[in-house]
Every structure is written in C-alpha cells, then in structure tokens.
Amino acid sequence: MNAASGLGMASRSTPRFSAALRTNERCSRARLRVSSLLHRHASRSARGLSEASLTTRRGTAAATRKSVACAASSTADSGSKGDLSNNFVTAGYIALWYAVNVCFNLTNKTLYKSFPFPWTVSTVHVIVGSIYCLVCYALGFKKASFGRPITGEELKKISGPASMHAFGHIAANLSFAAVAISLTHTVKTLEPAFSAVLQWSILGTPTPLPVLGSLVPIIFGVGMVCASELSFNWLGFLSAMFSNLTFGFRAVLSKKTMSDVKDLGSTALYAYTTVISVVLCAPLALIMEGQALPAGVQAAVAKLGWAKFSTYLFSVGLFYHLYNQFAFNTLQRVNPVSHGVCNVVKRIIIIGSSVVFFGNVLTTKTILGTVIALAGTALYTELQSKRKHG
C-alpha cells in the first residue's frame, strides 16, 4: 500500500515538474535575449563613443594646428615688427651720427675763424664731454657714461689708447684750423694705411696683398687733392697725417685694452678716455697758447659777443662728444664693415656740406682726387670684410 500510494504520488507530480522545466527554459531564453540585446546596445554605444572620441580628437588636432599656425604667424609678425623696429633705431643712430658730426665740423670751423686757438678748443671739447659723462653718471645713466668704477690697473691699461686719442684729437684740430675741412677729411682717409703698418709692426698681424693694394688709390687720391687744393699748407697736412698715426696707434692699443679690461663697454671706455684726455690736453694748451689766450678771448668776445662765443664753445664740445657717442652706438648695432661704409658716407657728407656752407672753391683735380680716395676707402673696407669672413 505504501508502494502503490508512492507510485500514485509520482504520477501526479510529473506534469508539475514538466511545467516547471518549461517555465525555466522560457526564463533562460528570455535572459539570453535580454543579454544579447544589452550586448548589442553596449557595442553600439561603444562604437558611438569611439566615433565621438575620434571626432573630438580630430577637432582638437585641427584646433591645435590652427593655434600653432596662428602662433607661428603671430611670432613671425612680431619678429618682422621687431626687426623693422631695430632697423629704424639703427637708422636713427646713423642719422644722428651724421647730423651731429656735420654740426660739429661746421661749428668748429666757424669758431676757428674768430678764435684760432686749436689747442684750447681741443681741451674745451673733452672738458665738455667729461662734464656730460659726470652728469649722466650722477643722474643714474651709468650705461651712457662710465658704466662702473675701474681699478688702478685698468686705468693704466686704458691710459695708453687714451693718450693716443688725446694727441690725435689735438692734431686733427690743428689741421681743421689751418686748412679747409675737405682737405683734412680727405687726408684722414689714409688712416687705414697707418693702421695696417702698425698692426704688422706691433702685433705681428700681416695684411694680405689685395688689401694693401686697395690702399694705393687712397694714397693716389690724397696726393691729387694735396697737389691741387687751394687751401693747402704744410701745417694742416702734417697735422692730419700725425692724427692718422696716433689714431692708428689708438686702434692697435684699443684691441689689446678691450681684451684685457673685462665688463667695460665701448661707451664706458670712451668716457674714461675723455677724462684722461682732459688731463693731457689742458697742460699742453696752457703751454702752447696760455700767454696769448687772454688776448684771443677778448678779441673773440669783441667780435662775437660773450653769449655767442660761450655758446659756440659749449655746443662744439657737446657736438664732439655726442657724435663720437652715436658712432659707438652705431658700431654696437652693425658689423664693423657696415660701420666702415658708414664712415665713408660720413666723410662724403661732411666734405659736401662744408664746401656748400663755407663756399670753398674745389678744382677738378681736387674733386677727382677726393672721389678716388673715398672709393679706395670703400674698397679697403670690402676687402677687409672678405678677409675676416673668408
């Protein structure tokens, strides 16, 4: 009975079990469909995100390229503007150098017509320049004057080229007072010849034959000018030649000084040179012109008036210092060759302006000789450039 009741119970439970199995299978298939749908949805979402990310990266890259291009364009524009600004500043220094130099030469020669004391005027030049440097230094413009204090040893090293500068300055003014400005500046185109000889004899630096050959037209042109210049006299000629010699020594000694004295710019070196020049020029002026100086001052004041006479003295000293200062400023912004070319152009402008201002009469040979000498100077500058950069 127990067995029969058990078989009966099993037969009644079988339909329920089958139904449970079928329900379980339907649930499993439903779960699989849901999982498949979720998987496909996730894949589509991933692809969408990937495409969105790629699009974003492409947009970012494009934006970056545009930014770089804009930055490069901006940098190029700022660079070109900076170069243009520097060129304007350099051109301004050159223009000031020329203008002040012309003012100096014309004022200096005009002063000599009423006050023919070149030793004294040379001293006034450097005294005014020294006062200018001291005032700039006291006001805090150290870079425009002495830069920094120097040691006793540095003073000794600077004194050599400074003394040559002082003696050359006096000699040039002796020539300016004795002859026409055009003759002095033409003779002074021979300065490279003196420098070449002195560099070979003192520094042992030989000058190549082509460069030496370029000195021939300079010498020939100066010879033509001297032979035909109506204002020629030996004092003016020899003074200009002695100025070439001393400035040649100054150039040679300055090279050694600039290498020995560290952290002292060309502006500061020139400021100290000016002060040292006062110490050398003042005693010589007193020795050479001291006795006649009171009478000379009285005659100049009687002719010009005290105000005009004193204005001439101060302005010519200021012009002298400033044109040298602007020459140094120009040299710092251009290479030596360009500076040499500027010097040639400067002499042409000075000679031309002095002829027009004072009404000097130039013969055909004088004009031709001047042109030949200046052309030789330009050729010398060009050959020196190729030698240094070749």
Side-chain angles (χ1 to χ4, degrees), residues 9-25:
M9 293 176 62
S11 63
R12 286 193 300 269
S13 63
T14 298
R16 296 179 190 170
F17 182 72
S18 300
L21 286 176
R22 285 193 299 271
T23 302
N24 188 33
E25 288 175 358

Side-chain angles (χ1 to χ4, degrees), residues 188-265:
K188 283 179 70 61
T189 59
L190 285 171
E191 188 175 325
F194 286 87
S195 296
V197 173
L198 292 172
Q199 286 179 7
W200 174 73
S201 59
I202 296 176
L203 300 178
T205 304
T207 302
L209 286 177
V211 179
L212 289 175
S214 67
L215 299 175
V216 173
I218 301 177
I219 297 171
F220 179 75
V222 171
M224 286 186 64
V225 171
C226 293
S228 57
E229 172 60 48
L230 300 177
S231 68
F232 176 84
N233 64 57
W234 284 104
L235 174 61
F237 173 74
L238 292 177
S239 297
M241 291 292 282
F242 185 73
S243 175
N244 286 335
L245 178 63
T246 51
F247 282 154
F249 272 113
R250 181 190 65 179
V252 173
L253 295 175
S254 292
K255 288 185 177 180
K256 182 173 176 57
T257 300
M258 290 300 289
S259 61
D260 292 341
V261 179
K262 305 299 182 182
D263 301 326
L264 192 67

Side-chain angles (χ1 to χ4, degrees), residues 106 180-183 186 229 347-363 366-367 370:
L106 299 182
I181 293 175
S182 57
L183 176 59
T186 304
E229 172 60 48
R347 293 198 188 282
I348 295 173
I349 294 174
I350 291 173
I351 291 172
S353 61
S354 67
V355 170
V356 173
F357 187 82
F358 294 109
N360 296 337
V361 178
L362 300 180
T363 65
T366 300
I367 296 173
T370 302

